[in-house]
Amino acid sequence: MKNILKKAGKGILFVLVFLAIGALLMCVMEFKYEDGTLPVHNYYSLPKDTVDVLILGTSHAGMNISTKTLWDEYGIAGYRFWGSIQPIWNTYYYLQEALKYQTPKVVLLDAYSLTFQQEYGAYPVQVKNTIALRLSKEKVENIWASVPEEDRAFMLFGFSTYHNRYTELTQEDFEYFPWDSHQDIQMYSTETSDKVYPITVLDPDATQGEEALGEKEEKYFRMLLDYCRTNGVKLEVVAAPYELSAAEQQKFRRVASIVAEYGFDFTNFNDSYAEIDIDPLQDFLDPGHFNKFGLPKYARAIAELLKSKHDLPDRRQDPNHIWNQTSTLASTPAYAATEQFQGDGIQDYSDTGYRLYENPLASWTLCTEFTLPETGDNTRVVMACFNDVPGMGGFRVCRAVNGKMEITIGATMTIRVADPEDVIRLVVVKKGKAFTIYVNGNVVEDVKLIDSELNAYEGSLLLGCEVSAEGRRMHFGKTLIRDLVIYDSALGEADALAWEPQQLPLAEKAAYMKEVTRDDLILSLENRFVGDGQEYVDTGCMLFDDPESSFTLLSQIEPRIEAGDTVYFSCFSEEPGAYRGLLVRKIGEDTLNVIYGAGTGVNLTLPKDAPSRLAVVKDRSAYTVYLNGEKVLEQNASPCTAYNGTFLIGAQTDASGNIFRVSGTTVYNLDVYRGLMAEEQILAWRPEPLAEAPRDPGMDVTYTLSPSFVGNGKSAYVDTGLKLYDNAEKDWTLTFLLDRVTVRRGSVISCFDETPGKYRGLLVRQTSDTVFSFILGSEYVEVEIHPADQVILSLVKEGNHYRVYLNGVLEAEKDCKIASYLGNLYIGCERNQYGRPFRFSDISVRRLEAVSEALTDETVLALHQAWKEETK
């Protein structure tokens, strides 16, 4: 008997071990979908009574409602329990499952899924919205409603859907064992996207009436509403703004009617874009989801709706809430210095990049040790994350003019320490609105501020200085910051007092040059740049790949612009929301626009009649600008992130990195030096304008048409192969003879660029029985035709001057300078913007000749007379 029991015990133990290993293996192999399974996995990790607002639905709920904004700005404890393209039957069972573990004060349902009409979702949708639920009656019913009969068993046991993921496993797959906890406030990868997708808003009055919901959709929607009414669940039904169709708007009207039957409310935010400050052109990532600009706006609208109708506590005031817990010193710092900072009190500073007041109600702890600057004739700053706008404030540590150490922690709250020691160990613990400040182990302040004392500030913590309200760095302090760490939570007193600075290495001093030599030259023009709207120069030089580098740029530019766009030079990113670099261009008649750093700009009056000397000095993140020997901007701070684009002359790049705004500007001289040039050197820079590089004269345009050409208005044309504008200033003469009897309306000849915004070249059309129209460069001319059996036309181009002759008579003259164009001369058609022939005509060109010179009046008249004689 003992042997039997022993064998049975071993067998049971083996089975238990096997099942345990299998369960752990499933934890690794299961899908970790951000838009499906993870919201469910992580929900099970939350302590009871954590969630006050349960958010249900598709990605219109999961990706459009920021629970971080709800928490940060309102203290609302919301959770998005959702799945991608989730049908309403999944939502119905999700609701029942969720209420087993939390008791929310209100359920928020996005109604987008009610615009669907289907029996089952696609297979990936079935997976994302079923397999993550724990095994229960609700999970089984959810699968039976969501999956065709032949696939239900596979979906129920799950392993068959992800057993082949071995080659796809990442570190994240090993972070979801039963002992792992995922209790942070939800943040998804798209919530930081600054991509902009403009959408079209549907006028709510453009449609009338209701449209029926899908049969299965209405059935489960009514089951959900009935469940909420029967069980006393408070419910709010909403529809997030998106690029909806007229039919979807009509279905939402049907949703409103059904919701009202059960005594609940439906809010369709598609009807109130403007009221909640949503900008359809800036706030969307794609047609259905917000980007980082739109997310907080919609979350605020949701918060205001919920708080106006439901009693929702501010959980930020609850120190025991899971999202407001106090960490221990053993936690990893959110920021930790790697070397000592040594400021010179003149210009040295360091930007930690850490924003202490991005959320003014957040908790954090700052621990540091430093030497105080000496007393001076103005404030000397040790560190600051401080908005200098009156009434704003933030955090700042400095030596005041009276010698006291000052620690500012809000809009007006300043702690002053008289006769401070030379070395200060400072710990600031912020717990929501409450601050405790320790100086050399002693509490010098323990205070709780009111809301108006705590303002949001996007600036980061700077070491060795602060910035003015205009963004200029100032009040540099000669300080040594030996160590600095920041935790993103409030430390307890024992941990705060136990903090000890590390022995960090001293940062190497940067050698910022004051006398710049030719050895420091990193970029220089060899020839004058004369833009024509087609040509530009890519120097290959990346001025902003290290945003903390310094350079001095000297240039001499021509204020007059005759063709193309208006950019002189650029090394600038047009990425929406992240403009950065350097852009110099002309705007208006006499205004020079200089954009620098993180998109900060200054406008300068540009003299009209003479070249101007422009100097831009970049001192790490501060900029000084000189125009014609006058300092027009001094040390204005505009820190930016790295940009790997190259320095362009006569153009810039768009948000995708493509060349655009190719310009007709002239840059006579341009030198860029590494480092900071002394002001005396800058003012002494007065170069002679460089000579223009020899230009390609362009191809010879000598040509004779043979045989005559007769168009058919459908497909016939002649590509002469002649490039009239490969050098836009070269001379030529075109002479052609038309049989007027067969000429109807249409294109005669063309060498013309149809690219929108770049129309230019030569285009001749007969526009009526008695009128020819000409585009000469970009100027339009009409010439009346006198009755004749034949028409002889000559077009003479001499530089940028055009003459038009008709049957031996000079009919028109025009001056027009344009950019070069590489298209060929066509007879009987035009060339569209993609280079393909179009607009075929039925003209009859008996004779056409081209020469590479501008014929004189006398020569043209003689030529016309000779052609008349030859054709009699």
Side-chain angles (χ1 to χ4, degrees), residues 586-603:
K586 190 176 178 183
I587 57 175
E589 186 174 343
D590 59 355
T591 301
L592 186 70
N593 177 231
V594 181
I595 303 177
Y596 54 88
T600 308
V602 60
N603 291 333

Side-chain angles (χ1 to χ4, degrees), residues 529-536 561 563-568 585 649-652 660-666:
F529 170 79
V530 180
D532 62 2
Q534 183 78 16
E535 302 295 327
Y536 66 96
I561 302 171
D565 219 311
T566 63
V567 174
Y568 287 99
R585 61 182 176 175
I649 302 174
Q652 66 176 112
F660 83 133
R661 291 181 181 161
V662 183
S663 300
T665 51
T666 298

Side-chain angles (χ1 to χ4, degrees), residues 86-105:
Q86 184 177 93
I88 187 63
W89 43 89
N90 294 135
T91 308
Y92 170 65
Y93 292 110
Y94 267 46
L95 171 63
Q96 295 181 57
E97 178 72 5
L99 295 182
K100 296 178 186 177
Y101 301 92
Q102 298 287 336
T103 309
K105 299 183 182 301

Side-chain angles (χ1 to χ4, degrees), residues 324-335 362-368 426-432 434-438 443 446 485-500:
N324 203 26
Q325 291 291 311
T326 301
S327 66
T328 66
L329 191 59
S331 301
T332 302
Y335 172 85
S363 298
W364 46 261
T365 302
L366 181 146
C367 309
T368 184
L426 173 69
V427 178
V428 179
V429 180
K430 180 180 182 297
K431 189 174 183 180
F435 288 80
T436 305
I437 300 175
Y438 304 86
V443 176
D446 193 354
V485 297
I486 303 172
Y487 297 91
D488 59 4
S489 56
L491 296 184
E493 183 171 65
D495 287 335
L497 293 175
W499 180 79
E500 291 284 343

Side-chain angles (χ1 to χ4, degrees), residues 607-713:
K608 297 180 180 179
D609 300 323
S612 287
R613 288 172 287 109
L614 174 72
V616 179
V617 181
K618 178 181 181 292
D619 175 7
R620 291 166 285 182
S621 295
Y623 295 79
T624 301
V625 178
Y626 301 81
L627 182 64
N628 293 326
E630 180 183 354
K631 186 184 293 182
V632 292
L633 181 76
E634 183 177 10
Q635 281 293 101
N636 195 50
S638 186
C640 67
T641 57
Y643 170 57
N644 292 325
T646 54
F647 186 84
L648 305 176
I649 302 174
Q652 66 176 112
T653 54
D654 62 18
S656 301
N658 302 312
I659 299 294
F660 83 133
R661 291 181 181 161
V662 183
S663 300
T665 51
T666 298
V667 180
Y668 293 107
N669 308 84
L670 190 142
D671 294 325
V672 183
Y673 293 87
R674 184 181 298 106
L676 307 179
M677 182 179 284
E679 186 172 273
E680 294 76 13
Q681 285 180 278
I682 294 172
L683 298 181
W685 188 78
R686 292 174 176 270
E688 288 295 321
L690 295 169
E692 189 174 351
R695 301 192 69 176
D696 184 348
M699 74 176 293
D700 181 87
V701 297
T702 302
Y703 176 83
T704 299
L705 174 66
S706 179
S708 298
F709 170 79
V710 178
N712 60 12

